[in-house]
Amino acid sequence: MSPKLLLNRELSWLAWNERVLALAADTSLPLLERARLCSFFSRNLDEFFMVRVAGLLEQVEAGVPVTSPDAQTPQQTLTEIRERVLQLTGRQTKLWKRDLSEALEETGISVGQIEDCTKQELDELKERFEREVFPLLTPLAVGPGQPFPYISGLSLSLGIFVRDPDSGEERFARVKVPELLPRFLSIGRRGLFLPLERVIRHFLGWLFPKMEILECCLFRVTRDADFELSDEADDLREAVESELRRRRFGDAVRVEITGSASSRMLERLKRGLGVTDEQVYLVQGLLDLSSVFELVGLDRPDLKEDPWFPLTHPRFAGVTSPDELFAAISSDDILVHHPYHAFGTSFEAFVSSAAADEDTLGLKTTVYRTSGDSPLVPALIEAAEAGKQAVCLVELKARFDERRNIGWARALEEAGVHVVYGFPNLKIHAKTTLVVRREEGGLRRYAHIGTGNYHSVTARHYEDFGLFTADPDITADVADLFNFLTGFSRPTRFRKLLVAPFDLRERLIEKIRSAAAAAARGEHARIRIKVNNLTDDAIIDELYKASKKGAEVEIIARSICTLRPGVQGLSENIRVVSVLGRFLEHSRLFVFEAGDSSDYYLGSADLMPRNLDFRIEAVVPVEDARAQQEIKRALDTMVSSNVHAWALKPDGDWQRIRAKKGERARASQTLLMRSVRARQPRASKHTA
């Protein structure tokens, strides 16, 4: 496929973060929601540099003669990334300084300077600095026998030039802003918050008594945080722990410095950190706006969205025992849509019931990301202690959750749960849980297959689907998948499940081609895909071919899409939209309509080479008519959204979709909340 037919992956990701920033600038949103989005923009960008930019820099340094699918060299991509990042972070800085911070001050939340303090507040500040901050500070000077200090990734540091007035000797010194303290120190009772680095700077004389402070600036280092494991790793947990230790000392890939820094200071930091001019980003304002998230936690409901309380799915309403829960699933498949439906009364009730149920003999699950308050881990431990077969596939390589997952794995092993870590070269990304029960007539399996992690916190903030089923073929497939992952075998073709890296891409392509063939015959043909990211060349090529044959293609891509829609003679039948909102759109859905037949699927996989070739992913058919209607209703709502939605243009630009004159505003997530609430039994409970 010609590179001209594809958009650049990295620039597409930056375009997604630009959409996040656009929402932060949307004055129709509550103020602290906008601050939250401003914070997310920075967090997203940090991860982008730690992983994607780090990988490109490694390619440049290694001199590898590779190009991206759109025919860009790593250096060309890095140059474009820098240009876009400078534009976007400049916009973010202006948004914070000229809009958000001023608007917050009008509501009684002031992120201020030391000069804003009254005498009484200065007295309080001095007392608190002496008691809470000063004991944690360690000035590190550079000189003979004192090398440039190691700067940990994403930490804030003060870079200082200090002079001895008696000898005239000058030194560079670094003071780290303590990471375990709040970034914003609340002073007095009028809503004044002082950034911690400004407080430390005010009291630098305490750290360098009888010295002159010539210059002080704030800087922050982003380091390479990605790693790869050898296929020959004998002990996967030990290998991951070793790589985590190495990650702390990854190469610097970006240095953010306050814009007031002198050229002398810039040269000293570049030399000490080993970075080039292209890796330095001057910021004309507050560094690390991800910390603004602290303010979002303030008790100011007047500045936030009305809280949403997830509702119990009607099929689980009134369920009071394991027998009732499993009977509900065995009668018909149940589709839940989080966070509209409660995670606590669906999936968590499923695993808790299995652990407590005397007739349950086995509980198997996967952990990619989970949370401390989730009942999943306690349920596995309870099942193991009761003598049931308890198996957990823990993905130790889940990026930035590796250390937490190692902790879960150890706790589970100590309780007698069979823990499997997977493979060095494959991530277990599938969201699958299997329960085996003793029932009249023999053993029966129950399964949950989802699009999101088994994480009670993100289940309240991420949009995801989950399917509960007792279908013999699907549950047998899930059992076979677990046996492959825990044993030593080659999987055969699954009955109904689509599994990467074995056959997911091929079977999706079969469905795309079926729709294309129907279109060529003049029959109804439509392909609907909802994913986080679409970058797989083979899938994109098939979608182009289907479009040319007349099939209608609708793609909802939250973040990255390298396909070019709307190109005459190629993709004029393809429409790509992106929907953002208070919940992170996270589900992956696939619908293929060819003539009179329709196939519905949901699962864990995005359409990227990493998902299709290097991860264990599970995609399940949704065959229940009611569940299919639920998916259709959700997709219809999202593609018709004219609030917080964007459409992708052939040149790669995203155009915001707005309600036309006289047209009613349609915010998809708001409409879905209303829809779930309207269909809820009055007596039903709700819980997160």
Side-chain angles (χ1 to χ4, degrees), residues 224-261:
D224 180 352
D226 205 13
F227 64 73
E228 293 184 7
L229 298 175
S230 168
D231 293 351
E232 307 300 320
D234 293 325
D235 187 323
L236 188 57
R237 189 171 75 186
E238 182 179 314
V240 171
E241 288 178 320
S242 175
E243 284 299 306
L244 285 175
R245 289 190 291 270
R246 185 195 65 79
R247 174 190 280 174
R248 292 186 58 245
F249 301 96
D251 292 339
V253 296
R254 175 183 62 164
V255 181
E256 299 165 278
I257 307 174
T258 48
S260 60

Side-chain angles (χ1 to χ4, degrees), residues 491-505:
T492 57
R493 186 177 175 93
F494 294 92
R495 302 160 187 82
K496 291 184 177 180
L497 218 59
L498 281 58
V499 181
F502 310 116
D503 64 356
L504 178 55
R505 180 188 284 109

